[in-house]
Amino acid sequence: PFVTAYFPEIAAKNKTTALRTESICDNIVLTRQSQIDSFAILFPGCTTVGNLTIDGSAASPAITNITALSSITKVTNNLKVVRTGITS
């Protein structure tokens, strides 16, 4: 699948299925802008996330835009945003 081929760390770290059709996702860790930009492809229909981590510590270029996550309407447990270039 797309996630395993292009983002193997997502498939390994997340408890969610790469091509899920449900609206609830367990744990999502995003570490690159390209992962954020591809959110709708990686997690189609995902509107509720248990734990969402956006960690730009090793991102190059920096994570600066999270518009592609606009389909997420609720984070039920933890939201963690670390070392990004997000300004608003």
Side-chain angles (χ1 to χ4, degrees):
F2 177 81
V3 170
T4 304
Y6 294 99
F7 303 113
E9 68 280 4
I10 289 179
K13 287 182 182 177
N14 294 327
K15 293 181 181 178
T16 56
T17 305
L19 298 174
R20 72 186 299 126
T21 56
E22 299 173 3
S23 63
I24 300 172
C25 304
D26 296 327
N27 299 300
I28 297 178
V29 177
L30 303 169
T31 58
R32 296 190 312 243
Q33 183 68 52
S34 60
Q35 294 169 332
I36 293 169
D37 295 342
S38 301
F39 184 81
I41 296 167
L42 299 171
F43 302 97
C46 181
T47 58
T48 301
V49 179
N51 298 295
L52 175 60
T53 300
I54 301 170
D55 186 347
S57 298
S60 180
I63 295 172
T64 58
N65 187 324
I66 58 170
T67 303
L69 303 180
S70 64
S71 63
I72 299 173
T73 58
K74 182 191 285 186
V75 176
T76 58
N77 293 321
N78 297 303
L79 171 62
K80 182 178 178 182
V81 180
V82 180
R83 295 187 180 164
T84 69
I86 299 168
T87 57
S88 61

